[in-house]
Amino acid sequence: MNINIILFLFLSVVSLLGTLIGSALGLLIKNPSKRLLGAMIGFAAGLMLSVVVFDLIPECLKKWSFNNTIMSIIAGIIIIYFGDNLLNKKNICANKHLQVAILTAVGLMLHNFPEGIIMGCSFLVGGSLGVKMCILIAIHDVPEGLAVTAPMVASKINPVKIFIYTAITALPTAFGAAIGLFIGGISKAILGSSLGLASGIMIYVVFFGMIPEAMKLWGGRMSKMGILLGVLLGFTMCTNL
């Protein structure tokens, strides 16, 4: 079997593993209280915010200029703003918890695509870079799985469906890995724009979706403590891995 096909299959498994672990963690607790749900969503929001601020945006700045990075982030915010308004006006998704999950999933899928490209290209560079990137991305995907799962748990969606929906958000990583492996590289502009758009979308989701939803579920200290712990853990992950 062609080595690229073997690597693609391996990277596909890695792309699913971290996300599904995060989903499983979110599903472990049956009938969670509003206090716990608020803390879970707040924790996931803090983790996501840290990944954006300490990982995605710095990576985007490496790909292209500061001005282009800011413009792509703003573009991502504008895109998801209009998408959010469409969901509200057309009443496409009346369930607010589910709407937060959908917006989160969209942001993560855009984020996961360049992640996959980076994984695929890292293996072509040689050495241990590919393995390191796989471990890093798999760990980063754990909070992503949790971020999508927590709002859906609050919506009381069937756990099997939640697991499947969460797995779908990881598929762009596999597609990106295929591009990275079979093309052998991609322009910095495309990578930079993908990372910038994903950053903008995820920032919007955190501040206009996840944090308000966490505070609505439980306005006490547990939700705020969840956000704080998520930020601290995300910072630790991004700076030490």
Side-chain angles (χ1 to χ4, degrees), residues 31-114:
N31 300 317
S33 65
K34 287 188 176 181
R35 178 188 298 207
L36 181 57
L37 281 172
M40 284 173 60
I41 294 176
F43 181 72
L47 277 169
M48 187 183 291
L49 182 62
S50 284
V51 170
V52 171
V53 174
F54 300 117
D55 191 354
L56 286 188
I57 293 178
E59 191 64 33
C60 187
L61 287 169
K62 292 178 184 177
K63 305 303 177 190
W64 55 356
S65 70
F66 174 82
N67 289 338
N68 285 334
T69 297
I70 291 295
M71 292 302 294
S72 63
I73 291 172
I74 292 173
I77 292 172
I78 292 172
I79 289 170
I80 200 64
Y81 170 79
F82 284 109
D84 192 15
N85 277 353
L86 180 64
L87 288 174
N88 284 320
K89 288 181 180 179
K90 300 295 184 181
N91 200 28
I92 294 173
C93 183
N95 188 315
K96 299 304 290 184
H97 299 306
L98 186 57
Q99 183 170 324
V100 170
I102 292 172
L103 293 175
T104 303
V106 170
L108 292 178
M109 288 174 80
L110 281 173
H111 165 211
N112 288 340
F113 181 69

Side-chain angles (χ1 to χ4, degrees), residues 4-26:
N4 278 346
I5 295 176
I6 296 174
L7 284 175
F8 170 69
L9 293 174
F10 170 72
L11 294 177
S12 298
V13 171
V14 170
S15 67
L16 285 169
L17 187 61
T19 303
L20 293 182
I21 289 174
S23 180
L25 290 174

Side-chain angles (χ1 to χ4, degrees), residues 42-43 46 223-233:
F43 181 72
S223 296
K224 298 171 186 175
M225 186 61 68
I227 297 169
L228 177 60
L229 291 176
V231 169
L232 291 175
L233 180 58

Side-chain angles (χ1 to χ4, degrees), residues 100-139:
V100 170
I102 292 172
L103 293 175
T104 303
V106 170
L108 292 178
M109 288 174 80
L110 281 173
H111 165 211
N112 288 340
F113 181 69
E115 265 190 0
I117 293 173
I118 292 169
M119 280 202 304
C121 293
S122 296
F123 269 96
L124 295 179
V125 171
S128 62
L129 180 60
V131 175
K132 288 179 180 178
M133 286 305 303
C134 278
I135 294 172
L136 177 65
I137 289 172
I139 293 173

